[in-house]
Amino acid sequence: MIPIDFQYVAAQSVAEAIRQYHQFSTSDMSTRYYSGGTEIITLARLHQLTMDAVIDIKPIPAAQVCSIVEEKLFLGAALTLSQITSHPMMSRAFPLLQVAVNEIADRTARNKITLGGNLCGDIIYREAVLPLLVCDSMVRIAGPNGAKEESIHRIFRRTMQLKPGEFIVQIATDKIYRCAPFFHVKRRKMGKVGYPIVSAAAIRLQDNIHIALSGVCSFPFRSRTMEDWLNQKHLPVHQRIEEAIQIIPPELILNDYEASREYRRFVLRTVLEETLHQLGSA
Amino acid sequence: MTKHEVTLHINGEDRTLVIRHADTLLDVLRLQCGLTGAKPGCENGDCGACTVIVNQLPYKSCIMLAIEATGHTIMTIEGLKHSPIQRAFAKCYAFQCGYCTPGFIMNAHAMLLHDTSIDEPTIQEWLESNICRCTSYEEIASAIRMAMSTMNANLPDNSKPNSPST
């Protein structure tokens, strides 16, 4: 049972969602946008999250989009991970994202978890962001000051940097990135469902590797400095990998019940090696 | 505590209920509707014991608000009668304590609603959504295969998987 009370409103349009947010705010009500809601429900049940109102963005047509316009793929933030994995277009349109989100949670949970929810969640892994980071995706945001489009790199710095009242409506990704050769790997402590020790999404573009990682630190990231080392093809592979790993401050590497810091570093090393081999950069 | 009147379509019937917006579907099904087939397990979206079918897709009812389900078709284990998967579970002894069984059956039933020619990796992928602490996984997978064969045997010849016209 969720021990707090909150008001639930389903918004039918972007404008209505913004209007509702404003209305709740002026009534001094703490408000959250709600999409899949899995994390909100879980944390509220554990007294780790409170709010006076939630605004469900699932009914908003713009947040349910899955279409290609002028070689850009637009994905609505309220699409469930299952909708992304099962959409007939996705295996050609953005196979890396399809593969990556298919590894998040389990089959039934993916019917509820949404793309936007995973990106904005408190969970430290947020693996749906990895393909967007390597593909330089753009994020379409709505808020009290209107609509805007921001680079994922500008809006996602460890967590989503949304201002009060803003929410993600869509993600846009160019063909040149989403159709590039890709590799995805997720290493868990055990089994096929669960959090990653290391999760990596990578593409090869103009003979360079783009790679983003989750599970290594308490936030997903893409590091250009790491990529620079990994792409130094005149150096032996092991040296490129060791130099790339050195970039991560040791104290930032997670050391928890899933894996010790040293084991995580070992897994990262093998993941980077596999990535370079799979993308023909070894 | 503010309560609101909502109508949920459950097992073929409209049920008008007075709920809090913060009530989960699991709590409403069990405490207000008396439908105790969906079980509270982890209440965290992990174990699948609370799985119900909404619009022909399986959902963990502990991580869905009841209010989200308004306007949708909800089916609980109580609404599933004489289905091939139920008979197959009994024939294959696909349970021990039985606590997880309704969740497994609803998940498996939803899978078979989608397709009756499912390969092993797909069965495994769907089953990973549920946990059986008695570890009856092999028997559960056998029950799914049995239900799938029964359903395929009952299909018209031209609709069977691998028939020349499919």
Side-chain angles (χ1 to χ4, degrees):
Chain A
M1 180 180 169
I2 296 176
I4 56 162
D5 258 342
F6 53 78
Q7 195 173 333
Y8 168 97
V9 175
Q12 303 298 322
S13 67
V14 170
E16 188 187 341
I18 304 290
R19 194 167 53 245
Q20 276 292 348
Y21 191 94
H22 176 73
Q23 200 173 314
F24 287 135
S25 298
T26 50
S27 305
D28 224 15
M29 294 169 74
S30 62
T31 307
R32 281 180 176 268
Y33 290 111
Y34 182 100
S35 187
T38 54
E39 189 177 277
I40 289 178
I41 292 173
T42 305
L43 295 181
R45 189 179 63 79
L46 297 170
H47 297 264
Q48 290 177 14
L49 189 70
T50 60
M51 60 254 144
D52 299 311
V54 297
I55 301 167
D56 193 347
I57 65 161
K58 283 195 295 292
I60 300 174
Q64 291 286 351
V65 157
C66 180
S67 64
I68 295 176
V69 180
E70 292 175 356
E71 304 213 324
K72 266 191 180 173
L73 171 69
F74 292 92
L75 293 173
L79 286 174
T80 65
L81 302 187
S82 294
Q83 285 174 314
I84 291 172
T85 54
S86 64
H87 198 290
M89 184 176 76
M90 286 300 287
S91 60
R92 281 172 290 107
F94 202 167
L96 173 58
L97 182 68
Q98 186 185 42
V99 170
V101 301
N102 200 42
E103 296 271 343
I104 295 171
D106 58 67
R107 181 68 181 73
T108 304
R110 288 194 292 273
N111 289 336
K112 193 76 169 47
I113 300 168
T114 61
L115 177 60
N118 186 262
L119 298 177
C120 296
D122 280 346
I123 192 167
I124 62 172
Y125 304 107
R126 293 186 289 274
E127 292 164 270
V129 81
L130 301 182
L132 312 184
L133 288 173
V134 297
C135 290
D136 296 344
S137 294
M138 300 298 289
V139 184
R140 291 182 155 189
I141 297 160
N145 298 321
K148 62 180 179 181
E149 190 169 292
E150 295 267 19
S151 159
I152 186 77
H153 304 296
R154 193 175 159 81
I155 200 74
F156 188 88
R157 294 192 300 273
R158 298 193 176 187
T159 59
M160 274 293 170
Q161 307 292 312
L162 295 172
K163 296 192 179 82
E166 289 184 340
F167 68 97
I168 300 175
V169 182
Q170 291 171 352
I171 306 292
T173 311
D174 273 330
K175 185 179 182 181
I176 186 171
Y177 299 103
R178 56 185 171 76
C179 295
F182 70 94
F183 180 64
H184 175 267
V185 62
K186 180 169 179 172
R187 295 274 180 258
R188 301 176 181 86
K189 188 174 183 178
M190 61 181 288
K192 292 180 180 169
V193 174
Y195 298 132
I197 291 175
V198 176
S199 180
I203 61 168
R204 194 186 73 223
L205 194 72
Q206 293 160 350
D207 221 23
N208 278 328
I209 303 290
H210 296 192
I211 185 165
L213 297 159
S214 170
V216 179
C217 303
S218 62
F219 49 86
F221 66 92
R222 175 183 169 192
S223 160
R224 304 302 169 109
T225 321
M226 275 185 82
E227 286 178 4
D228 286 345
W229 277 112
L230 292 173
N231 286 316
Q232 300 277 333
K233 291 185 202 62
H234 60 282
L235 296 176
V237 169
H238 77 272
Q239 189 183 346
R240 290 152 62 187
I241 291 172
E242 288 309 318
E243 296 285 0
I245 293 175
Q246 292 301 318
I247 297 299
I248 309 170
E251 68 279 9
L252 286 188
I253 298 178
L254 287 172
N255 185 28
D256 60 18
Y257 64 95
E258 295 276 355
S260 67
R261 182 167 291 143
E262 199 45 47
Y263 185 62
R264 231 174 258 271
R265 208 189 323 253
F266 165 75
V267 175
L268 174 60
R269 197 174 288 125
T270 62
V271 161
L272 292 178
E273 193 173 339
E274 203 177 342
T275 305
L276 293 181
H277 275 102
Q278 290 290 335
L279 291 178
S281 185
Chain B
M1 187 183 293
T2 317
K3 292 203 169 190
H4 308 262
E5 190 176 284
V6 298
T7 300
L8 296 179
H9 190 73
I10 306 168
N11 299 333
E13 291 176 358
D14 279 338
R15 304 280 295 256
T16 301
L17 304 157
V18 179
I19 63 166
R20 296 184 311 139
H21 282 181
D23 283 334
T24 62
L25 180 59
L26 175 65
D27 285 339
V28 169
L29 290 173
R30 290 179 61 83
L31 304 175
Q32 296 215 37
C33 303
L35 297 169
T36 55
K39 298 286 185 262
C42 66
E43 293 187 77
N44 204 43
D46 294 324
C47 75
C50 64
T51 303
V52 299
I53 296 176
V54 179
N55 292 352
Q56 304 214 321
L57 280 176
Y59 285 91
K60 296 178 183 186
S61 59
C62 72
I63 51 170
M64 176 182 265
L65 297 177
I67 187 118
E68 282 183 88
T70 53
H72 301 293
T73 303
I74 304 161
M75 183 196 267
T76 70
I77 188 78
E78 290 88 348
L80 195 63
K81 293 188 173 73
H82 312 301
S83 68
I85 190 68
Q86 286 168 300
R87 282 194 291 270
F89 259 68
K91 280 185 186 165
C92 294
Y93 299 101
F95 47 82
Q96 290 182 53
C97 80
Y99 196 81
C100 70
T101 307
F104 265 106
I105 287 182
M106 295 312 280
N107 190 21
H109 183 71
M111 176 171 62
L112 295 170
L113 284 176
H114 277 75
D115 199 348
T116 54
S117 56
I118 297 164
D119 58 15
E120 275 305 309
T122 308
I123 293 176
Q124 294 305 322
E125 186 193 358
W126 281 66
L127 287 186
E128 279 158 9
S129 301
N130 296 59
I131 295 172
C132 169
R133 299 314 302 256
C134 310
T135 66
S136 294
Y137 296 109
E138 284 304 316
E139 291 80 2
I140 292 168
S142 299
I144 290 170
R145 286 183 216 110
M146 179 185 279
M148 201 156 59
S149 328
T150 308
M151 291 165 83
N152 286 331
N154 293 334
L155 287 173
D157 280 347
N158 61 357
S159 302
K160 286 180 181 171
N162 305 321
S163 72
S165 59
T166 55

